[in-house]
Amino acid sequence: MIVRCPQEATPLSSPDQMPDDEDEAPAGEVLRLSLAPDQAGGRLDKTLAEAVPDLSRGRIQALLAAGRIRLDGAALTDASAKARAGDYEILIPPPEPATPEPEAIPLTVLYEDAHLIVVDKPAGMAVHPAPGSERGTLVNALLHHCGDSLSGVGGVARPGIVHRIDKDTSGVLVVAKTDAAHRGLSALFAAHDLDRVYVALTRGAPRPERGTIETRIGRSPHDRKKMAVLRTGGREAITHYAVEKTFGAQDKPVAARIACRLETGRTHQIRVHLASKGAPCLGDPIYGAGAPTNAVKDALARSGLKRQALHAQVLGFVHPVTGETLRFESPLPEDMASLEGLLSGL
């Protein structure tokens, strides 16, 4: 059984585990639960995430790293340690105090009702505030457009945000305006019960021309700023792809237009998967290793593309409140459409 109670400012068990260099854990909530001997033996983070469905495994890992999980009064930090039987306390901190400010930024709204809003995000706009992108984000624009109606489930820094696309990826994105819609949309994403199609313009073309890329993706062991296909660890990542067009010689295309249907949604998934097939997104500054042909370079320069050529074209799902089947499609933005036109002449 899980017992919830308000958390008073309480000294942590070890000075080494003090959050944010403070002497006390800030007020929040404490979850108390007991693990019986037959529940012990598995990985600690996985066991606790299964015991507390409200907390994801990643959240458990972060709380462990901050020294906010105790067993019989002693702080635990090793997520990979074996779970032991006993009485656990999970100290949940309060939400971050920083609140994004509303900004009058134009939005392309594809659909909106009392429960959710679907927008066509331009390239160059971050979804939510983060270091280096504190202002000018989609959240700032939505706070101005929606006022106080955004769901609070995502926290003060990410109100209503259910999923993200990269700052320099354009396309369709749904945001929750009510907590009920947020929970319902989150369940759809967790179950992979949505239709998500991206269009990529790539250097060369993958072989075969149609298939499924199924790997594990996690932080690169060589560069922590990049994601990579891993042999072990990471998270399962599945992308279904199909080459829609090739450009240049048919037997050795210099570029391609590829439709990618996501089954999972990991960080940089499509970019990493296409690069792993030897066909990275054109213009990708992180995963676009290898130079395109001179003709493709010229097309890139003339098109004005200054980012990875990746666009979230289609988003389809069942409305989590009304049950209505919804499907939204966004045309290629000007920079990608221009590049495709120029490639077609090769």
Side-chain angles (χ1 to χ4, degrees):
M1 182 177 70
I2 302 171
V3 177
R4 298 174 179 267
C5 61
Q7 174 191 337
E8 297 178 357
T10 308
L12 297 177
S13 57
S14 165
D16 294 335
Q17 307 305 328
M18 292 178 184
D20 304 323
D21 298 322
E22 295 180 1
D23 293 335
E24 295 182 330
E29 184 182 29
V30 179
L31 304 184
R32 293 189 174 91
L33 69 150
S34 296
L35 290 185
D38 62 351
Q39 296 175 289
R43 270 185 64 116
L44 179 59
D45 56 352
K46 185 174 186 292
T47 301
L48 291 178
E50 290 172 349
V52 189
D54 288 353
L55 299 179
S56 69
R57 189 168 173 181
R59 180 68 165 141
I60 291 289
Q61 291 169 347
L63 291 169
L64 283 165
R68 292 186 172 276
I69 298 181
R70 303 169 177 170
L71 172 61
D72 297 328
L76 305 173
T77 58
D78 187 357
S80 64
K82 288 187 176 181
R84 291 175 284 158
D87 296 322
Y88 287 80
E89 285 186 336
I90 303 177
L91 286 64
I92 310 295
E96 293 292 329
T99 303
E101 294 294 326
E103 294 181 49
I105 301 169
L107 286 173
T108 300
V109 177
L110 304 180
Y111 176 88
E112 183 175 11
D113 64 14
H115 308 286
L116 55 84
I117 180 171
V118 179
V119 300
D120 192 351
K121 186 189 83 66
M125 174 184 276
V127 171
H128 58 74
S133 298
E134 288 82 4
R135 298 185 64 82
T137 73
L138 180 61
V139 162
N140 296 112
L142 287 168
L143 287 170
H144 181 270
H145 178 86
C146 301
D148 295 331
S149 66
L150 288 180
S151 165
V153 175
V156 292
R158 303 179 185 182
I161 300 303
V162 182
H163 68 126
R164 294 176 293 173
I165 55 179
D166 295 338
K167 177 179 179 180
D168 289 325
T169 296
S170 52
V172 189
L173 185 140
V174 60
V175 177
K177 293 174 66 176
T178 65
D179 291 352
H182 200 295
R183 288 190 294 268
L185 288 168
S186 295
L188 291 176
F189 278 95
H192 315 309
D193 196 13
L194 305 95
D195 188 21
R196 288 182 287 171
V197 181
Y198 288 65
V199 171
L201 299 176
T202 65
R203 190 197 76 216
R207 297 293 182 192
E209 291 191 347
R210 180 183 298 271
T212 297
I213 307 170
E214 187 170 356
T215 69
R216 303 194 71 80
I217 286 180
R219 292 286 172 189
S220 167
H222 309 294
D223 184 347
R224 300 299 292 172
K225 295 180 180 179
K226 296 176 63 175
M227 307 302 287
V229 170
L230 304 177
R231 291 182 179 273
T232 59
R235 303 178 71 187
E236 181 185 45
I238 303 172
T239 303
H240 308 284
Y241 73 91
V243 176
E244 295 184 328
K245 294 181 186 177
T246 59
F247 308 101
Q250 188 171 0
D251 60 336
K252 193 175 181 181
V254 295
R257 171 178 166 138
I258 302 174
C260 297
R261 177 167 271 105
L262 287 179
E263 186 167 325
T264 59
R266 310 306 178 206
T267 301
H268 298 177
Q269 177 174 315
I270 292 174
R271 297 163 65 189
V272 171
H273 272 170
L274 291 178
S276 76
K277 296 288 287 184
C281 293
L282 288 170
D284 193 327
I286 300 176
Y287 304 105
T293 65
N294 288 335
V296 174
K297 283 183 182 178
D298 180 63
L300 280 165
R302 292 167 61 194
S303 71
L305 185 86
K306 303 295 184 183
R307 45 103 178 193
Q308 65 265 9
L310 185 62
H311 177 66
Q313 182 185 48
V314 174
L315 179 63
F317 57 93
V318 174
H319 195 297
V321 178
T322 68
E324 180 183 3
T325 298
L326 302 174
R327 188 179 189 274
F328 306 96
E329 185 165 347
S330 165
L332 284 186
E334 183 178 351
D335 56 355
M336 283 185 63
S338 174
L339 177 58
E340 182 177 7
L342 292 164
L343 293 173
S344 297
L346 301 182

